[in-house]
Amino acid sequence: MSKITLLYSLVFGIFCLQSLIQGCLGEMVNRQLSENSNFKVKAVNLGGWLVTEGWIKPSLFDGIRNKDLLDGTQIQLKSRYIGKYVSAESGGGTILVANRTSASGWETFKLWRIDENTFNFRVFSNQFVGLQSNGVVAEATNPGHSETFQIIRKPDDTSRVRIQAPNGQFLQAKTQDLVTADYGGDGGWDDNNPSVFVMTILNGSLHGEYQVTNGYGPDKAPQVMMDHWNTFIVEDDFRFISENGLNAVRIPVGWWIASDPTPPKPFVGGSLAALDNAFIWAQKYGIKVIIDLHAAPGSQNGDEHSGSRDGSLEWGKTDQTIQQSVDAIEFLTARYAQNTQLYAVELINEPQSSGVALETLKDYYQAGYNAVRKHSSSAFVIMSNRLGGGVDPKELFRLASNLQLTVIDVHYYNLYSDMFNTMTPQQNIDYVNQNRSSDLSYITTSDGPLTFVGEWVAEWVARDATEGDLKNYANAQLQVYGGASFGWAYWTLKNVNNHWSLQWMIQNGYINLTN
Ligand SMILES: *[C@@H]1O[C@H](CO)[C@@H](O)[C@H](O)[C@H]1NC(C)=O
Ligand SMILES: *[C@@H]1O[C@H](CO)[C@@H](O)[C@H](O)[C@H]1NC(C)=O
Ligand SMILES: *[C@@H]1O[C@H](CO)[C@@H](O)[C@H](O)[C@H]1NC(C)=O
């Protein structure tokens, strides 16, 4: 009997005595059986399903009007007349000027979309541009009517815009010292019209759940999302998963699922019914389910996959964001605790160390753990390590080691760092065999939490890679991540980018888990 198995027995023993729940003994036996057979998760993520990621399925955004102007899109405005960029002086808190020859932070505005033509402009220091008694200023903390502008695009050149203020007048830069809202006429699109600006849209716009639902708006979004949920992942995918050597799915969900069918705007209801279906299919095909709170209120990392509106990270900065997250965890656990396929609940995905304090996260993990345990003694509780430089991958060990059936989730991508840009295929493989292997060994201990490589992919930036290289790279990762004591999960099942699609990788012979 391993130390871990012994621990389970003790925990369940105590739980049985305490709760006198019928069937608890059976659960204990099951757990021991799975331990004894060294059950490990070989999972695939169902990414881009219940939490939208545009790069996984770009066509989901096709029907949005002005789809290049979604929430969080960053724009810069250059006055044709002055020949200089508009800037929120001091980054915000005061006037707008048009005196910058080059553009960076203060000259960049993040859009909050009201409808396809109507927007708020958020400045560097997070205030919103508005029309106040003292003119056009970036002073408002929350946008209201005074902060609401129309962007009118030139029909045959959509980078030319005029911006209508709430007083009906257009913004103009008559001089470089001040932007005002007092251009009344329709002066056409001439370069010497001081109300014409050239709008540059910065690369890297967010394409997440907020963008897609708010982009379609309340009339169209419910149907579009329903169609997506009903077609992107279907029962047959669970058959495919079960027939190809996988035994679990990790399903990213958003916090709004807990208030289905009437989630806060712009999110729309229906993802809960889709998750219910996943459990039915999982049961039918003997697949275990890991629920993963991938998008937390306010966003825990500013990425599109956290449901962020504009890239800000607000999670953990108010008690409300924590409480809503705990509530979502409790709601989901309570709903599926009696389902035999519920295997684990991941409390939050990829909190970012630059914005989420360790103490805040630990408090949340404790509260989230308690919420799971209120309803399930047997579900594993997964805690994602923080992303970011300088994080000790064991920073959650003290907390996790004192709790039962806990798992630390780490994500390994040979991407997102310049270091990989110059690596050859073989160097990538060596990196997996040496560095990832030692990273994983460091956290895989006999007395600590279990370890889970909850995201990895056989994608890389290596040039001149052959088919054989790619197979070797995938196999090296399978070998090394097979050493994680809880298991691993490929990111993701389906993706228009082939290497990111485990379905494609299996169907094309790059990955074979059945032998
Ligand atoms: C832009 O205009 C503002 C307001 O007149 C002034 O304070 C600032 O120094 C100017 N900046 C540049 C780069 O000219
Ligand atoms: C944006 O992306 C396009 C296409 O990939 C590229 O040509 C352009 O240089 C990028 N612009 C910036 C500012 O990075
Ligand atoms: C990877 O591991 C090798 C061998 O242990 C080591 O020399 C190298 O510095 C490591 N690379 C990084 C980026 O940590």
Side-chain angles (χ1 to χ4, degrees):
M1 213 187 225
S2 75
K3 222 168 179 179
I4 288 167
T5 311
L6 187 66
L7 186 63
Y8 294 155
S9 312
L10 280 173
V11 169
F12 286 116
I14 291 163
F15 186 82
C16 289
L17 283 178
Q18 276 179 346
S19 58
L20 297 169
I21 285 177
Q22 281 249 293
C24 185
L25 196 63
E27 191 169 56
M28 182 172 143
V29 170
N30 279 340
R31 183 69 65 202
Q32 281 189 4
L33 278 177
S34 60
E35 268 313 299
N36 291 343
S37 62
N38 283 324
F39 181 83
K40 277 194 197 182
V41 166
K42 290 184 192 175
V44 62
N45 283 279
L46 302 186
W49 186 34
L50 305 183
V51 178
T52 294
E53 296 189 39
W55 69 288
I56 291 179
K57 182 183 167 183
S59 61
L60 187 56
F61 289 74
D62 282 353
I64 298 178
R65 301 183 64 145
N66 272 336
K67 68 172 180 171
D68 55 346
L69 300 180
L70 298 172
D71 284 280
T73 295
Q74 300 189 17
I75 63 162
Q76 293 167 343
L77 297 166
K78 191 173 189 177
S79 161
R80 293 297 297 188
Y81 178 66
I82 302 287
K84 292 186 179 172
Y85 288 97
V86 175
S87 177
E89 192 59 39
S90 304
T94 178
I95 57 171
L96 264 58
V97 294
N99 64 10
R100 297 308 203 290
T101 50
S102 65
S104 100
W106 294 4
E107 293 74 42
T108 301
F109 301 87
K110 289 180 190 167
L111 299 180
W112 278 24
R113 179 168 167 134
I114 309 302
D115 65 32
E116 63 197 64
N117 302 311
T118 314
F119 302 87
N120 308 132
F121 295 79
R122 198 173 201 186
V123 302
F124 182 81
S125 302
N126 284 335
Q127 302 96 329
F128 294 87
V129 177
L131 180 61
Q132 301 291 346
S133 50
N134 52 346
V136 178
V137 286
E139 290 180 349
T141 314
N142 295 301
H145 175 71
S146 310
E147 285 71 41
T148 301
F149 296 84
Q150 304 274 324
I151 296 180
I152 291 129
R153 306 179 91 165
K154 188 180 184 212
D156 62 353
D157 174 4
T158 56
S159 69
R160 299 278 169 108
V161 300
R162 299 168 77 211
I163 298 168
Q164 193 170 27
N167 63 357
Q169 309 267 303
F170 290 88
L171 296 188
Q172 65 171 335
K174 277 178 293 191
T175 74
Q176 64 170 14
D177 296 321
L178 196 62
V179 172
T180 53
D182 56 355
Y183 183 91
D186 174 9
W189 294 97
D190 266 11
D191 279 358
N192 51 21
N193 177 339
S195 73
V196 173
F197 298 89
V198 177
M199 176 174 67
T200 307
I201 297 173
L202 270 60
N203 288 343
S205 299
L206 301 174
H207 288 85
E209 189 87 4
Y210 203 106
Q211 286 70 35
V212 75
T213 51
N214 204 31
Y216 280 105
D219 295 337
K220 290 187 190 153
Q223 189 62 50
V224 171
M225 297 312 292
M226 191 68 73
D227 290 346
H228 168 61
W229 294 326
N230 287 340
T231 54
F232 189 63
I233 298 291
V234 296
E235 177 176 337
D236 202 46
D237 294 316
F238 280 74
R239 184 191 55 74
F240 176 85
I241 287 166
S242 71
E243 287 176 356
N244 283 282
L246 295 156
N247 56 30
V249 287
R250 176 174 180 258
I251 307 184
V253 301
W255 61 280
W256 53 87
I257 198 171
S259 44
D260 209 277
T262 51
K265 284 178 185 158
F267 304 114
V268 300
S271 62
L272 186 60
L275 185 59
D276 286 347
N277 284 337
F279 271 93
I280 292 167
W281 302 329
Q283 198 133 29
K284 182 162 174 188
Y285 293 97
I287 297 295
K288 298 201 184 296
V289 178
I290 299 164
I291 299 179
D292 152 37
L293 185 65
H294 211 75
S299 172
Q300 71 277 24
N301 51 37
D303 293 322
E304 69 184 13
H305 53 73
S306 67
S308 180
R309 180 168 199 178
D310 69 3
S312 315
L313 189 169
E314 305 293 338
W315 185 85
K317 300 198 168 145
T318 62
D319 291 343
Q320 194 198 11
T321 57
I322 303 273
Q323 193 53 51
Q324 283 176 325
S325 308
V326 174
D327 291 348
I329 291 296
E330 177 157 8
F331 170 84
L332 291 164
T333 312
R335 189 173 184 88
Y336 300 112
Q338 301 313 314
N339 189 303
T340 53
Q341 302 315 113
L342 178 68
Y343 193 63
V345 179
E346 180 154 1
L347 300 178
I348 199 168
N349 177 65
E350 295 189 347
Q352 184 54 257
S353 66
S354 60
V356 177
L358 179 58
E359 285 313 310
T360 306
L361 185 63
K362 281 160 69 174
D363 288 349
Y364 168 65
Y365 277 158
Q366 178 70 59
Y369 174 87
N370 295 344
V372 172
R373 285 287 169 263
K374 262 194 217 173
H375 302 279
S376 173
S377 61
S378 61
F380 288 89
V381 177
I382 304 178
M383 303 178 184
S384 176
N385 263 355
R386 290 189 303 164
L387 295 189
V391 170
D392 173 9
K394 281 188 180 172
E395 69 180 14
L396 301 169
F397 267 46
R398 269 258 291 279
L399 171 73
S401 302
N402 287 325
L403 305 172
Q404 280 74 52
L405 305 186
T406 51
V407 182
I408 298 295
D409 181 15
V410 290
H411 297 172
Y412 291 151
Y413 290 107
N414 281 18
L415 296 162
Y416 313 123
S417 159
D418 290 345
M419 169 173 87
F420 298 111
N421 293 344
T422 53
M423 282 190 188
T424 63
Q426 190 55 47
Q427 285 170 328
N428 272 277
I429 293 167
D430 293 344
Y431 190 84
V432 169
N433 286 329
Q434 293 163 19
N435 306 70
R436 296 301 189 198
S437 167
S438 85
D439 291 350
L440 188 56
S441 303
Y442 174 66
I443 55 169
T444 306
T445 58
S446 57
D447 54 354
L450 298 176
T451 53
F452 180 40
V453 182
E455 293 185 17
W456 65 276
V457 67
E459 179 58 299
W460 50 8
V461 283
R463 278 178 299 257
D464 305 324
T466 65
E467 286 191 13
D469 290 334
L470 188 60
K471 280 185 192 165
N472 291 341
Y473 176 56
N475 280 330
Q477 293 191 83
L478 282 167
Q479 189 70 37
V480 169
Y481 307 155
S485 49
F486 182 77
W488 51 257
Y490 195 93
W491 187 273
T492 185
L493 181 64
K494 295 186 179 181
N495 196 313
V496 293
N497 304 282
N498 292 341
H499 298 173
W500 292 89
S501 163
L502 184 58
Q503 184 184 48
W504 188 92
M505 293 292 276
I506 288 173
Q507 286 173 340
N508 290 274
Y510 288 96
I511 289 179
N512 184 348
L513 300 164
T514 54
N515 51 22

